[in-house]
Structures are given as C-alpha cells and as structure tokens.
Amino acid sequence: MKYTKFNNLEISQLGFGMMRLPTIKENGPIDEEPAIKLIRYAYENGVNYFDTAFFYHEGESEHIVGKALAVFPRDTWHLADKMPGNFMEVVDGKLKVEMGMNAGAMIFDSPADVFEFQLKKCGVDYFDFYLLHNVAEDTMDIYTDERLGIIEYLLEEKKAGRIKHFGFSTHAGYECLEKFLNEYDCFEFAQLQHNYLDATIQEGTRKYNLLTKHGLPVIIMEPVRGGKLANPGAKEIAILKAARPHATPASWAFRYLQSLQNAPVILSGMSKIEQVKENIEIFSDHDPMTDADLAVLNQVVESMGDFIPCTSCRYCTSACPRSLDIPILLTTYNEAAVEFSWIAKDLVERLSDDELPGACVNCGACLPLCPQNIDIPEVLSKFEKLIQANKPTE
C-alpha cells in the first residue's frame, strides 16, 4: 500500500468511501456481514483512511464503519465524518436533518447535538477528520449562519481534541469556492470530486489548483465517477486497451489521480471484494502517468461527448438582455450531456425559470463576444431540450 504524509500522519493513499457498501437488494439496507468483511479486509491490507457521512445509506453507514473498525486499535485507523449542512434546515428554531428517501428526518436542538449523535453512532471519542459536507451555492447560508455558529462550534471541538483535522467537501462552482476560501482560512484540507472527465466538465483541474494555491491538501472523491470510468463504454475501453492491453479502465482513472502532487487520499466507494482487491493492487504500485497516457485519456474524453470549451471569461454575460449566467449554464450542460446525474439535477433545481436556458431569446448578442466561438444560443437550446426530456413524469 502506498502511503502519503498529512502533517505528521502516514495515510493510505487509497481511502475507503462508505457511500456504496453492499446492500440487501438494490437500494435496500446495508448487508452488514459482507460490508464488515470488506472494511476489515481493506484495513488488514493496508487501508487506514475511512470516510463516512451522516446520511450515507440513510444513516446506517456511520454505525457499520464504527462497528467494523472497533476491533482494531483506535490509533491505527483514521475516520472521517461530516456535518450534514447540505441536508439541514432550520424549522421552528430546531435543526431538521434529512436522513434519506425512506428514512425521513431527525430533529436536533443544535449543531452540537448532531456532532454528539455522530460520535455515539460511530462508537468513537473523536474524529480524525471532520468536514462540512458539500460547501456549495445552496449550503453557504447554513454554514455561515451566525445564529447556528457551525464553523465556530467545530473549531472549539478541534481545540478540545475531538476533531483532529477540520476541512470541508465541495461540489461548488469555481466562483463560489473561491469566495468561500477568501472568507475562511480555518481549514486544513478539502475534499473535491475530481477525475479525468470532471477535470474538464466540472472544472476539476481549475478547482484543484485553487485549493492547492490556498495550501489545502485535496482529498479526492468520485475517482471513477460512480463507476462510469470503470466501465466507460465499448469505444472508450478499446482506446484504453490499445494503449495498455492488460490495464483495467479503473486503473487508468486511479493512476491519473495518483500522479497529482497534492492528493494525499483518493477515496473509492467499494461494494465488492473484487473491487477492494483490485484497488489495493493498484495502490500498491507507483506507476505515474506519462504524456502519452494523458493523450490517451484525452481521446477517451473526446469520445465520450462533445464538450463545450467555455473558460468562464464572462464576456458573453455583459450583452445578454436576460442577464443569464451563461458560463454556469454551459458548465451545467457539459455535466448533463454526459449523464443527467444528481449533480446536474441539483444544479438545474437551483435556478429559477428566468435563469434556465429556456429564458434565452436567441438574440445572438453573445456570439461576437465569445473568444471560443461557441454557438451559445444553440447550446442553450440543446440544454433546454435535455431538461425537458429529464423532467419527472407525474
């Protein structure tokens, strides 16, 4: 197992993400016995970083990982958990926290009660790593609400030793992330969705570089994009096999991230023993990307879709009579064109009707201002059709 340095710690570069543990039937409860076996097998073969969250598996994940790891000395593994501000709202002075589609919600008096509940559920006295869960455009109000004082409270817990290292995860757009980093300098690390596909369509490289500039080590999540890069499609697999006949698609995705200089941990959500064994093998070797390898991955990305090369220069927005945030719309289109995932749905749901691509009047005022020569009205028309095609049926 390859280990990296985080302050004075030695951490396995492969981290175990607890969002995709084996379940009883699809979307059912965690299948406890095989899940515990997976976690313990990973630990016994060198993995020492385990990442869970309040709502993973509708609240079961924290309990299972705590139970699985309790048989090993506490100072030999690192547990990461998260404050669930992304599923939190204030109702009648209380905190209502959603647990998942089938699990309803829980009510807490304060962020302190949430934190205490998580410690008890995991069966630990402290968290090695603790994060604000998904700092983004629609969660900033919760995390920065002075009445709740979430950040201030968690910093006190860090002083008390019940949080060893304090950070945040994010799916925010670049501008939101930059604003947050400029306002808060109390974090030690950040967790970011990044992979060779999201390097472009979610501005992953740009956000990774921003976090690095601010001196924050980057924990990587979604390295194979929920499995898409482990099985990208026949045409893409053929491109990869032509370059490295014996390498799996997943190994390409992990090697891309292993080559980053500021990624101490790469999380993988593993649900099968075969995945755990393959990943441990990949992370037991040092096989950095070459320029030729990167060129192959560029071919794969190009094969997956015709992505819009927006650089967020924002020249176009000055001429739009509807004041549309065109760069945000083009970035979201790239996401939706690959798959209309929960990320795409979330980004669309944040926008009002006047902010959606359907509000474009096709005037063309933006066209001469785009340095990339993007046919913006045409792309927005395609995006609107995608949105309509993916609306839930009643």
Side-chain angles (χ1 to χ4, degrees):
M1 175 60 59
K2 181 182 177 185
Y3 294 90
T4 59
K5 285 286 186 182
F6 182 95
N7 292 352
N8 62 337
L9 301 176
E10 275 207 345
I11 301 179
S12 58
Q13 192 175 35
L14 173 62
F16 200 142
M18 298 291 147
M19 192 170 72
R20 297 185 176 94
L21 293 171
T23 60
I24 300 172
K25 298 182 180 180
E26 188 175 359
N27 298 321
I30 293 174
D31 198 350
E32 184 170 321
E33 184 177 347
I36 288 176
K37 284 183 178 179
L38 283 186
I39 295 167
R40 290 178 178 171
Y41 181 90
Y43 171 88
E44 289 164 353
N45 286 273
V47 176
N48 65 13
Y49 189 99
F50 300 86
D51 173 272
T52 188
F54 186 94
F55 75 98
Y56 288 175
H57 288 283
E58 299 187 332
E60 288 190 293
S61 175
E62 290 173 317
H63 167 68
I64 293 296
V65 67
K67 183 176 180 179
L69 294 172
V71 299
F72 305 119
R74 180 64 183 91
D75 62 354
T76 63
W77 45 271
H78 310 289
L79 182 61
D81 208 340
K82 310 175 186 78
M83 175 62 65
N86 53 333
F87 287 94
M88 184 184 291
E89 63 177 324
V90 180
V91 179
D92 297 328
K94 305 281 189 178
L95 291 178
K96 179 182 178 183
V97 185
E98 295 291 340
M99 297 288 289
M101 197 170 15
N102 301 314
M106 294 189 68
I107 305 298
F108 296 91
D109 288 328
S110 68
D113 289 340
V114 177
F115 184 75
E116 296 290 350
F117 176 77
Q118 290 178 290
L119 284 171
K120 185 176 181 180
K121 202 169 188 184
C122 292
V124 296
D125 297 321
Y126 64 89
F127 290 116
D128 305 270
F129 294 80
Y130 196 81
L131 303 83
L132 304 181
H133 202 161
N134 190 19
V135 170
E137 289 79 357
D138 54 354
T139 62
M140 287 282 280
D141 288 346
I142 284 285
Y143 288 130
T144 60
D145 189 327
E146 293 181 357
R147 296 168 299 174
L148 295 177
I150 290 175
I151 294 175
E152 291 74 16
Y153 164 71
L154 294 175
L155 286 172
E156 287 300 313
E157 291 296 348
K158 183 183 173 188
K159 286 181 182 178
R162 297 207 296 172
I163 295 173
K164 301 302 182 183
H165 303 286
F166 185 35
F168 65 93
S169 69
T170 183
H171 290 283
Y174 183 90
E175 288 74 18
C176 176
L177 178 58
E178 184 176 43
K179 179 181 178 183
F180 184 73
L181 291 170
N182 288 336
E183 291 182 5
Y184 295 92
D185 62 356
C186 55
F187 299 101
E188 294 176 79
F189 67 99
Q191 188 167 306
L192 176 71
Q193 176 167 330
H194 192 30
N195 50 66
Y196 68 79
L197 181 58
D198 285 324
T200 301
I201 68 173
Q202 284 199 25
E203 297 189 286
T205 297
R206 194 174 176 220
K207 288 186 278 190
Y208 166 85
N209 288 338
L210 176 66
L211 292 166
T212 299
K213 178 182 174 183
H214 279 262
L216 298 179
V218 181
I219 309 296
I220 302 294
M221 56 181 163
E222 298 292 356
V224 293
R225 213 174 200 270
K228 184 173 184 61
L229 301 184
N231 188 23
K235 185 177 178 182
E236 291 76 26
I237 290 174
I239 294 171
L240 297 174
K241 288 292 184 183
R244 285 191 170 217
H246 303 295
T248 64
S251 71
W252 281 88
F254 286 124
R255 287 179 53 243
Y256 171 81
L257 296 167
Q258 284 176 311
S259 297
L260 299 178
Q261 297 300 307
N262 187 37
V265 179
I266 300 165
L267 296 171
S268 179
M270 299 173 277
S271 58
K272 299 177 181 178
I273 190 64
E274 293 81 11
Q275 293 169 334
V276 178
K277 289 180 177 179
E278 179 186 351
N279 290 351
I280 287 171
E281 183 178 352
I282 292 168
F283 281 86
S284 297
D285 192 16
H286 182 62
D287 188 12
M289 284 265 137
T290 65
D291 289 342
D293 290 333
L294 291 172
V296 171
L297 290 183
N298 285 336
Q299 290 180 49
V300 171
V301 172
E302 289 173 4
S303 174
M304 286 182 175
D306 185 16
F307 302 119
I308 307 305
C310 176
T311 61
S312 297
C313 69
R314 308 194 71 81
Y315 295 164
C316 55
T317 58
S318 62
C320 180
R322 301 303 302 272
S323 299
L324 293 175
D325 193 331
I326 296 170
I328 289 292
L329 292 175
L330 297 184
T331 300
T332 307
Y333 170 79
N334 279 338
E335 173 70 39
V338 174
E339 57 179 328
F340 216 86
S341 63
W342 72 266
I343 296 174
K345 292 174 187 174
D346 183 57
L347 292 169
V348 168
E349 288 171 0
R350 293 177 191 174
L351 303 173
S352 68
D353 288 344
D354 291 338
E355 297 170 317
L356 288 167
C360 174
V361 294
N362 199 26
C363 68
C366 54
L367 291 174
L369 300 176
C370 179
Q372 309 301 320
N373 297 313
I374 300 168
D375 189 340
I376 294 169
E378 174 65 18
V379 176
L380 295 185
S381 175
K382 289 180 179 178
F383 190 14
E384 178 63 18
K385 291 175 182 176
L386 262 178
I387 292 172
Q388 295 304 321
N390 285 277
K391 275 191 172 180
T393 55
E394 295 183 1

